[in-house]
């Protein structure tokens, strides 16, 4: 059924001329960029060259605001380092030797190789790997599943980004929930249905710099200007924390203990929303018993904070008329990520901040983002071969549609439960960014016979592993749609310049999909494919281009109107029809149905002998203004903002270790419980914003100016060398943010 859209008002068409330049309105939800999809204006000269990108003031999403990454898009698009034609390796893996070939030759080779492996080893012997995805995730999953392979997924250990919060929410409530900043309305803050949240609790996220779940960091500031108060949970004092009413500088990895202690306060002091809990929440008595032992004093000892700060945060959030939790990746990146997300989500349930104005909302959607597109293309027999289902109950349950990266790496090494022969790598520089223990990961991939990589630039993963490279174009060079990730709208990515001999990711996948399974890819062009996805809106892609962004209808309190359950009954899409503090789905999977706290391993409590040798808690992956994971290292304009990988150290710790600002050091730490020690190079950055017992470092580093046959210095710059493969009991969540380390001066060697 068609859904009538509300459109932003535009004074001009989506293409027009201004001051001698040709302007195209569009969205930046693809490389180079981030997870947001901000509205942009792309300026092109008479020679067809992109000369400027600015924010679109008429787009309700970002209202003309734009970060450094998008402003520097012309540097990326016009970079002399870009790959412009398909390349086949003309030497051994690890050598920077390539031969250009035509697109027809490249497509023919992929078709020939993949079909050979399918016929001789089964479609499951071909693996499909993705990174952050953005608008490309849907096409990767459809390509894999239409080919017949169930082995598609992120190269991320334990799906430890976005996935744990999504899956945690689904087992508790049947939906994922994001903060209500009015992003679902075309008139935004002026919409009469919306209410500014009284309290925003920023937890494990720095939205001003990071891009969690489609949330633009400016929205937090917009709400602050309208009266919102802040609670910030972070081991560092961020810009937002410096302006918060309550700051909880906890030890990384202890979030669940903190959340359970806050719940303890709400229950013991009678601060929770009793009427909401009685009507709409299941398992309160069991949950209350589970959190009864987590007093603020106990949690304070675990989290290394003051108990009164925990009480203050609990009281402030519980009393709020509209309480929003801006939660982020830090909650995902621990082995016990699902119980941690359960613990934080429970605070929303206890206070009734679900599906309400100024609380947490279920974003409307056009196309499933996380679970992929085309699940029906695989048979049950094919799904049963997905790597991970034998090891982890969450995968076996069917709730997770991707394969386990950890188990795929193991299968490459052992050939069990069946041999893997090929890999399709798209939207990920996996050795540099997502893949832990990159030395082991590289050795595992070297066992594959044929590896295809889609990317605009050479990078360490490509040099080390790829046999065939397909050059992807960037968002100003192609069409697309924004189709998910927490802030759904009928938004279009519009081509402003000629892509030359590069192709869009979806063009590449459509061409191969039509060769592998034409019934699953019945479209002649990507624009036809986009139109089929937009069909429920009553618009074609071309019509959407003229009018976008379009906003789907939105209502609050859907659970009171039978809008969240497929049977049309009131309540939530769970076994009980209620929000579940006690999760029946988790119980049926043999997992703890209640939130729990488990100490990180290794860690100060679980491995005191290792903590003595490695006396600092290390958190990784802090976002920077100039990069999006491994992207933009080769962009000189952005590189100048943050030219080298740093480790942030408190002044007292730096003085104790004799460290100086700007000096190179070794960061060393145990790889899980393997007995191995990994290390990487870092530049010291001294800051009082970090706890004295914690250090923080950014991730995904390589030197594009370095020697390609030394993998652009990636092996000595990669903090993932301090990490081991292995997820929590559910297979969801892995330890990226609560490690142990020491800092060694290079002069000590």
């Amino acid at each position: 059924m068609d859904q009538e859209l509300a459109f932003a008002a535009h004074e001009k068409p989506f293409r027009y001329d201004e001051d001698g330049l040709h302007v195209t309105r569009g969205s930046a939800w693809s490389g180079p960029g981030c997870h947001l999809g901000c509205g942009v204006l792309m300026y092109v000269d008479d020679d067809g060259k992109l000369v400027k990108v600015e924010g679109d003031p008429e787009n309700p999403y970002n209202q003309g605001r734009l970060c450094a990454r998008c402003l520097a898009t012309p540097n990326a698009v016009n970079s002399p380092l870009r790959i412009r034609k398909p390349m086949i390796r003309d030497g051994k893996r690890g050598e920077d030797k390539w031969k250009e070939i035509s697109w027809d030759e490249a497509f023919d080779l992929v078709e020939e190789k993949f079909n050979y492996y399918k016929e001789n080893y089964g479609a499951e012997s071909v693996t499909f790997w993705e990174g952050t995805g953005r608008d490309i995730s849907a096409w990767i999953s459809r390509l894999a599943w239409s080919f017949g392979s169930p082995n598609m997924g992120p190269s991320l250990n334990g799906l430890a980004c976005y996935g744990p919060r999504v899956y945690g929410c689904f087992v508790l409530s049947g939906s994922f929930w994001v903060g209500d900043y009015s992003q679902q309305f075309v008139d935004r803050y002026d919409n009469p249905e919306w209410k500014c949240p009284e309290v925003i609790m920023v937890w494990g996220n720095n939205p001003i710099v990071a891009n969690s779940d489609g949330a633009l960091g400016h929205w937090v500031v917009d709400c602050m200007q309208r009266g919102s108060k802040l609670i910030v949970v972070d081991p560092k004092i961020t810009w937002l924390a410096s302006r918060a009413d309550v700051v909880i500088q906890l030890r990384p990895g202890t979030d669940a203990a903190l959340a359970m202690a806050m719940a303890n306060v709400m229950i013991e002091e009678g601060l929770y929303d009793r009427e909401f809990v009685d009507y709409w929440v299941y398992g309160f008595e069991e949950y209350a018993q589970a959190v009864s032992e987590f007093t603020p004093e106990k949690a304070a000892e675990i989290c290394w904070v003051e108990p009164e700060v925990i009480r203050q945060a609990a009281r402030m959030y519980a009393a709020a008329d509209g309480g929003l939790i801006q939660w982020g990746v830090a909650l995902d990146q621990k082995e016990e990520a699902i119980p941690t997300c359960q613990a934080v989500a429970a605070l929303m349930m206890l206070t009734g901040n679900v599906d309400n104005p100024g609380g947490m909302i279920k974003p409307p959607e056009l196309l499933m983002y996380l679970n992929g597109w085309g699940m029906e293309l695989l048979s049950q027999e094919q799904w049963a071969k997905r790597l991970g289902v034998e090891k982890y109950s969450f995968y076996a349950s069917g709730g997770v549609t991707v394969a386990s990266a950890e188990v795929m790496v193991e299968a490459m090494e052992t050939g069990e439960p069946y041999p893997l022969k090929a890999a399709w790598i798209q939207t990920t520089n996996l050795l540099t960014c997502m893949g832990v223990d990159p030395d082991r990961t590289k050795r595992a991939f070297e066992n594959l016979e044929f590896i295809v990589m889609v990317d605009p630039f050479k990078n360490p993963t490509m040099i080390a592993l790829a046999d065939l490279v397909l050059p992807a174009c960037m968002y100003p060079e192609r069409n697309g749609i924004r189709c998910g990730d927490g802030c759904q709208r009928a938004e279009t990515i519009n081509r402003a310049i000629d892509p030359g001999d590069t192709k869009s990711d979806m063009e590449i996948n459509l061409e191969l999909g039509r060769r592998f399974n034409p019934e699953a890819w019945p479209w002649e062009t990507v624009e036809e494919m986009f139109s089929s996805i937009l069909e429920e809106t009553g618009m074609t892609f071309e019509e959407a281009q003229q009018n976008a962004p379009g906003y789907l209808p939105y209502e609050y309190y859907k659970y009171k109107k039978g809008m969240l359950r497929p049977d049309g009954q009131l309540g939530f899409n769970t076994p009980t029809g209620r929000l579940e503090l006690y999760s029946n789905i988790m119980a049926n999977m043999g997992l703890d149905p209640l939130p729990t706290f488990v100490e990180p391993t290794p860690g100060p409590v679980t491995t005191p002998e290792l903590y003595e040798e490695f006396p600092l808690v290390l958190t990784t992956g802090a976002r920077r203004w100039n990069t999006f994971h491994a992207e933009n290292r080769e962009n000189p304009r952005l590189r100048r903002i943050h030219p080298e990988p740093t480790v942030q150290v408190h002044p007292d710790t730096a003085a104790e270790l004799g460290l100086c600002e700007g000096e190179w050091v070794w960061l060393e730490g145990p790889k899980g419980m393997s007995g191995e020690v990994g290390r990487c190079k870092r530049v010291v950055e001294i800051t009082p914003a970090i706890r004295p017992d914690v250090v923080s470092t950014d991730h995904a580093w390589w030197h594009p100016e370095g020697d390609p046959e030394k993998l652009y210095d990636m092996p000595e710059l990669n903090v993932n060398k301090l990490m081991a493969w292995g997820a929590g009991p559910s297979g969801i969540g892995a330890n990226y943010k609560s490690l142990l380390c020491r800092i060694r001066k290079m002069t000590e060697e």
Side-chain angles (χ1 to χ4, degrees):
M1 184 173 68
D2 290 355
Q3 299 192 59
E4 187 175 348
L5 301 178
F7 290 100
H10 295 294
E11 292 184 3
K12 300 176 181 177
F14 85 101
R15 288 200 174 104
Y16 59 92
D17 290 344
E18 180 181 288
D19 298 331
L21 296 174
H22 310 290
V23 186
T24 301
R25 187 173 68 236
S27 172
W29 197 44
S30 186
C34 66
H35 271 309
L36 296 183
C38 288
V40 293
L41 299 175
M42 297 167 283
Y43 293 78
V44 179
D45 65 18
D46 286 337
D47 294 327
K49 181 179 180 181
L50 182 70
V51 296
K52 182 171 63 171
V53 172
E54 293 186 350
D56 180 3
E58 295 181 334
N59 191 304
Y61 181 85
N62 57 310
Q63 299 170 323
R65 298 171 289 197
L66 214 56
C67 76
R69 293 184 293 268
C70 272
L71 293 172
T73 298
N75 301 77
V77 170
N78 301 319
S79 172
L81 300 178
R82 285 191 61 183
I83 304 167
R84 300 288 181 178
K85 294 181 180 296
M87 304 187 306
I88 190 169
R89 189 174 289 281
D90 195 26
K92 296 184 297 184
R93 287 178 179 169
E95 295 179 342
D96 187 25
K97 296 180 180 179
W98 308 91
K99 180 174 67 175
E100 290 184 351
I101 59 175
S102 70
W103 277 102
D104 284 341
E105 289 174 306
F107 286 139
D108 288 346
L109 182 60
V110 177
E111 181 181 13
E112 175 193 339
K113 289 280 191 179
F114 280 19
N115 279 335
Y116 170 80
Y117 296 125
K118 181 177 183 176
E119 291 163 9
N120 289 276
Y121 301 96
E124 64 274 11
S125 68
V126 180
T127 57
F128 294 77
W129 299 78
E130 67 169 327
T132 60
R134 290 168 282 191
D135 71 319
I136 304 163
S137 287
W139 329 117
I140 300 172
S141 61
R142 194 170 190 87
L143 179 64
W145 297 338
S146 64
F147 176 74
S149 174
N151 291 323
M152 184 283 299
S155 50
L156 188 68
N157 198 12
L159 297 177
C161 175
Y162 187 62
R165 280 170 294 137
V166 174
Y167 295 129
C169 279
F170 265 89
V171 299
L172 300 176
S173 67
S175 303
F176 182 49
W177 303 94
V178 299
D180 179 15
Y181 299 99
S182 77
Q183 67 268 34
Q184 68 275 29
F185 299 120
V186 68
D187 50 355
R188 293 300 307 274
Y189 305 118
D190 295 328
N191 188 281
E193 298 295 317
W194 180 73
K195 180 169 61 179
C196 185
E198 191 169 296
V199 171
I200 297 175
M201 184 150 55
V202 180
W203 197 319
N205 181 221
N206 183 9
I208 300 298
V209 181
N211 319 110
S212 180
D213 316 328
L216 182 69
H218 289 285
W219 300 343
V220 180
V221 181
D222 292 343
C223 289
M224 291 167 65
Q225 292 172 336
R226 288 164 172 78
S228 296
K229 304 297 183 183
L230 294 189
I231 301 167
V232 175
V233 181
D234 200 296
K236 290 193 288 188
I237 300 296
T238 62
W239 184 88
L240 286 175
S242 72
R243 288 150 176 81
D245 286 63
V246 180
V247 179
I248 305 179
Q249 246 184 307
L250 82 173
R251 168 166 64 101
T254 62
D255 306 81
L258 173 62
M260 294 171 76
M262 290 178 65
N264 175 289
V265 172
M266 293 177 190
I267 294 170
E268 289 295 316
E269 298 185 7
L271 304 177
Y272 68 97
D273 187 332
R274 188 180 299 273
E275 181 179 359
F276 181 84
V277 169
D278 286 346
Y279 274 101
W280 302 108
V281 178
Y282 172 83
F284 175 76
E285 296 300 328
E286 296 92 335
Y287 174 77
Q289 180 62 36
V291 301
S292 63
E293 65 178 284
F294 279 89
T295 64
E297 285 72 23
K298 177 176 179 177
E301 188 176 323
I302 293 169
C303 302
W304 299 351
V305 299
E306 293 297 321
E308 196 52 39
V309 177
I310 299 175
R311 289 191 175 89
Q312 186 182 1
R315 292 165 181 163
M316 182 176 168
Y317 180 72
D321 181 12
L324 180 162
I325 299 180
Q326 179 57 47
W327 52 353
V329 171
L331 295 170
D332 302 326
Q333 296 195 330
K334 47 185 61 65
E335 288 192 353
E336 300 292 339
I338 292 290
T340 298
C341 295
Q342 282 181 274
V344 176
L347 302 178
M348 310 170 194
M349 301 180 195
L350 289 174
T351 56
N353 280 300
V354 177
D355 208 17
N356 63 313
M360 305 298 287
I361 61 172
K362 177 184 183 296
E365 60 190 9
L366 291 166
L367 180 67
M368 278 294 290
Y369 174 75
L370 184 71
N371 281 351
W373 182 38
M375 293 173 57
E376 72 284 354
L377 297 171
L378 285 181
S379 67
Q380 287 301 312
E381 181 182 5
Q382 289 170 314
W383 276 115
K385 295 179 180 179
R386 182 165 43 104
L387 293 171
V389 297
E390 295 295 327
K391 187 170 185 176
Y392 294 118
S393 57
F394 230 96
Y395 289 81
S397 71
V400 178
T401 57
V402 298
S404 163
E406 170 201 357
V407 180
M408 285 196 280
V409 167
E410 291 172 354
M412 291 177 193
E413 295 172 322
T414 65
E416 299 293 337
Y418 47 76
L420 299 183
K421 294 294 183 179
W424 173 270
I425 301 175
Q426 191 170 10
T427 77
T428 179
N429 177 359
L430 62 87
L431 292 182
T432 308
C433 188
M434 285 186 167
V436 299
D437 197 348
D439 293 337
R440 177 186 171 189
T441 304
K442 177 174 173 288
R443 290 193 299 270
F445 271 87
E446 286 172 341
N447 291 328
L448 300 181
E449 295 178 4
F450 184 61
I451 298 175
V452 186
M453 194 162 177
V454 184
D455 207 277
F457 294 100
K458 290 181 181 178
N459 59 51
T461 304
M462 186 181 296
I463 300 297
L465 299 173
D467 301 300
L468 176 67
V469 175
L470 307 180
C473 59
M474 301 183 185
Y475 75 82
E477 300 169 318
R478 47 89 155 183
N479 290 328
I481 57 173
R482 197 195 191 291
C483 58
D485 193 26
C487 184
Q488 192 65 270
R489 56 195 188 275
E491 181 81 274
T492 61
I493 300 167
N494 299 325
R495 194 176 91 177
I497 57 174
D498 191 326
D501 209 19
T502 66
K503 291 184 183 295
S504 72
D505 290 87
M506 45 287 299
E507 281 183 282
I508 294 169
N509 291 24
L510 174 60
E511 173 62 29
L512 286 171
R514 291 171 61 191
R515 290 174 179 234
F516 292 138
N517 187 344
E519 291 185 3
W521 300 82
W523 310 282
E524 290 295 322
T525 66
V526 291
E527 289 76 19
E528 286 183 16
M529 183 167 63
F530 302 149
S531 291
S532 72
I533 292 168
L534 292 170
E535 186 175 1
E536 66 180 273
T537 69
M539 289 192 306
T540 65
F541 172 74
E542 289 77 12
E543 290 170 332
Q545 282 183 301
Q546 298 288 340
N547 299 292
Y551 285 72
L552 294 163
Y554 186 82
E555 292 186 47
Y556 291 110
Y557 302 113
K558 290 179 286 298
Y559 62 92
K560 295 181 180 180
K561 306 169 185 176
M563 299 173 67
L564 292 178
R565 296 172 56 92
D567 59 10
Q569 297 297 306
L570 303 187
F572 299 86
N573 191 23
T574 64
T576 61
R578 298 183 177 191
L579 299 170
E580 296 193 353
L581 290 169
Y582 178 103
S583 171
N584 287 281
I585 294 175
M586 293 284 282
N588 290 337
M589 287 192 287
L591 298 168
D592 196 325
L594 292 162
T596 56
F597 167 68
V598 178
E599 279 282 354
T601 303
V605 176
T606 54
T607 58
E609 70 289 347
L610 279 176
Y611 185 47
E612 187 172 340
E613 185 179 356
F614 301 95
L616 294 168
V617 176
L618 170 65
T619 182
T620 75
R623 304 299 190 249
R624 296 285 184 167
W625 288 108
N626 62 320
T627 55
F628 184 62
H629 301 299
E631 271 182 26
N632 292 319
R633 301 290 181 206
E634 68 289 318
N635 190 321
R637 179 177 173 183
L638 294 172
R639 182 72 177 279
R640 286 193 291 270
I641 297 174
H642 185 60
E644 296 292 354
T646 61
V647 56
Q648 294 180 313
V649 185
H650 190 275
D652 294 347
T653 308
E656 181 182 340
L657 298 175
L659 303 177
C660 298
E661 179 79 14
E663 76 169 302
W664 282 92
V665 294
W666 286 111
L667 200 60
E668 299 177 335
K671 292 184 180 181
M673 297 302 293
S674 66
E676 297 180 68
V677 174
R679 71 177 187 173
C680 64
K681 291 170 69 172
R682 285 295 182 270
V683 174
V684 173
E685 178 185 346
I686 299 175
T687 173
I690 192 81
R691 292 181 57 109
D693 41 24
V694 174
V695 295
S696 173
T697 191
D698 29 300
H699 70 304
W701 265 97
W702 57 296
H703 282 154
E705 72 276 13
D707 184 347
E709 298 194 2
K710 293 182 179 178
L711 303 187
Y712 304 105
D713 302 330
M714 179 276 292
E716 61 182 23
L717 298 176
N718 195 337
V719 71
N720 290 3
K721 296 189 78 169
L722 282 68
M723 304 173 193
W725 283 100
S730 65
I732 308 295
N735 194 358
Y736 285 79
K737 287 190 177 290
S738 52
L739 309 166
L740 295 181
C741 77
R742 66 186 174 212
I743 298 175
R744 187 188 296 275
K745 294 172 73 72
M746 290 191 171
T747 55
E748 295 176 2
E749 293 196 345

